[in-house]
Amino acid sequence: MPLRTIIRNCVYYWTFSAWLAFYINHPLYTPPCKSSIIQTDHSVPQRDLQSLLNSLYAAYGDMQVNYALAIFVLCEAGNFSIHVALNNLKAGGGPKCRKFPRPTKNPFTWLFFLVSCPNYTYEVGAWASFSVMTQCLPVALFTFFGLIQMTIWANGKHKAYTREFKDYPHLRMPIIPLLL
């Protein structure tokens, strides 16, 4: 990788990570389970309603964080599995034997049936779930810009695969199944 690319990537990731960390670790940051607490006046008849609504909103916030965390972990496991499959593809035939990636027995690699670059799909899924977990605008912007950049890379790889391999599956999309 050229030095200019390494420096550009480091500046991009370090700047965004500092911005994300500032908002997520800020003392005024409230996680989703605490940001939706309803404030009403403290009259006696509404206290029961207020406590009921607050417990419902707190449960929804916890559920949102827990589901997003589960999706995040699954996407990271899928990303790891794809990287292992791609590494095994390189090691399998040496530099002269070129093959395009195919699904293996690992269920996380079955995304190769639908997309050319499932590692990018899993990466965007992980960041999208992190955006849902934190409900933080800078995280959502980082996810959006990451999606744009990874879509550009995935389109390039997809075009290279279709040019190089005549038997490349035509139903595969670059990054998002059945869409993009």
Side-chain angles (χ1 to χ4, degrees), residues 72-95:
F72 177 82
V73 170
L74 287 174
C75 285
E76 288 298 325
N79 198 3
F80 175 75
S81 298
I82 296 300
H83 283 290
V84 168
L86 291 172
N87 191 38
N88 291 341
L89 186 68
K90 277 192 229 176

Side-chain angles (χ1 to χ4, degrees), residues 5-69:
T5 304
I6 292 172
I7 292 171
R8 184 187 66 214
N9 287 350
C10 287
V11 168
Y12 171 76
Y13 284 110
W14 291 351
T15 303
F16 253 117
S17 64
W19 192 36
L20 301 180
F22 173 77
Y23 278 95
I24 293 172
N25 297 316
H26 195 277
L28 297 178
Y29 171 73
T30 53
C33 60
K34 293 193 170 95
S35 63
S36 55
I37 302 296
I38 295 177
Q39 299 294 328
T40 60
D41 62 354
H42 295 289
S43 61
V44 176
Q46 289 188 354
R47 271 200 183 152
D48 294 332
L49 177 63
Q50 178 184 0
S51 63
L52 174 66
L53 289 175
N54 285 342
S55 64
L56 287 174
Y57 283 119
Y60 172 73
D62 288 339
M63 185 172 55
Q64 170 186 341
V65 170
N66 291 338
Y67 281 131
L69 178 62

Side-chain angles (χ1 to χ4, degrees), residues 16-177:
F16 253 117
S17 64
W19 192 36
L20 301 180
F22 173 77
Y23 278 95
I24 293 172
N25 297 316
H26 195 277
L28 297 178
Y29 171 73
T30 53
C33 60
K34 293 193 170 95
S35 63
S36 55
I37 302 296
I38 295 177
Q39 299 294 328
T40 60
D41 62 354
H42 295 289
S43 61
V44 176
Q46 289 188 354
R47 271 200 183 152
D48 294 332
L49 177 63
Q50 178 184 0
S51 63
L52 174 66
L53 289 175
N54 285 342
S55 64
L56 287 174
Y57 283 119
Y60 172 73
D62 288 339
M63 185 172 55
Q64 170 186 341
V65 170
N66 291 338
Y67 281 131
L69 178 62
I71 293 169
F72 177 82
V73 170
L74 287 174
C75 285
E76 288 298 325
N79 198 3
F80 175 75
S81 298
I82 296 300
H83 283 290
V84 168
L86 291 172
N87 191 38
N88 291 341
L89 186 68
K90 277 192 229 176
K96 302 226 182 217
C97 181
R98 296 269 302 157
K99 296 183 278 187
F100 61 87
R102 297 178 186 271
T104 63
K105 292 178 184 177
N106 183 346
F108 286 115
T109 64
W110 294 350
L111 200 53
F112 274 123
F113 284 123
L114 302 172
V115 295
S116 296
C117 301
N119 51 329
Y120 297 152
T121 307
Y122 282 126
E123 187 76 23
V124 169
W127 279 107
S129 64
F130 191 70
S131 298
V132 170
M133 261 192 291
T134 60
Q135 286 188 344
C136 188
L137 181 62
V139 178
L141 288 174
F142 179 77
T143 303
F144 178 71
F145 290 134
L147 172 66
I148 291 171
Q149 183 60 54
M150 286 185 260
T151 301
I152 293 168
W153 293 336
N155 280 332
K157 286 184 181 183
H158 182 74
K159 287 178 184 174
Y161 284 150
T162 54
R163 274 193 311 264
E164 186 174 350
F165 303 108
K166 301 301 178 209
D167 59 338
Y168 193 73
H170 296 288
L171 294 177
R172 282 190 190 177
M173 293 292 172
I175 189 170
I176 299 175

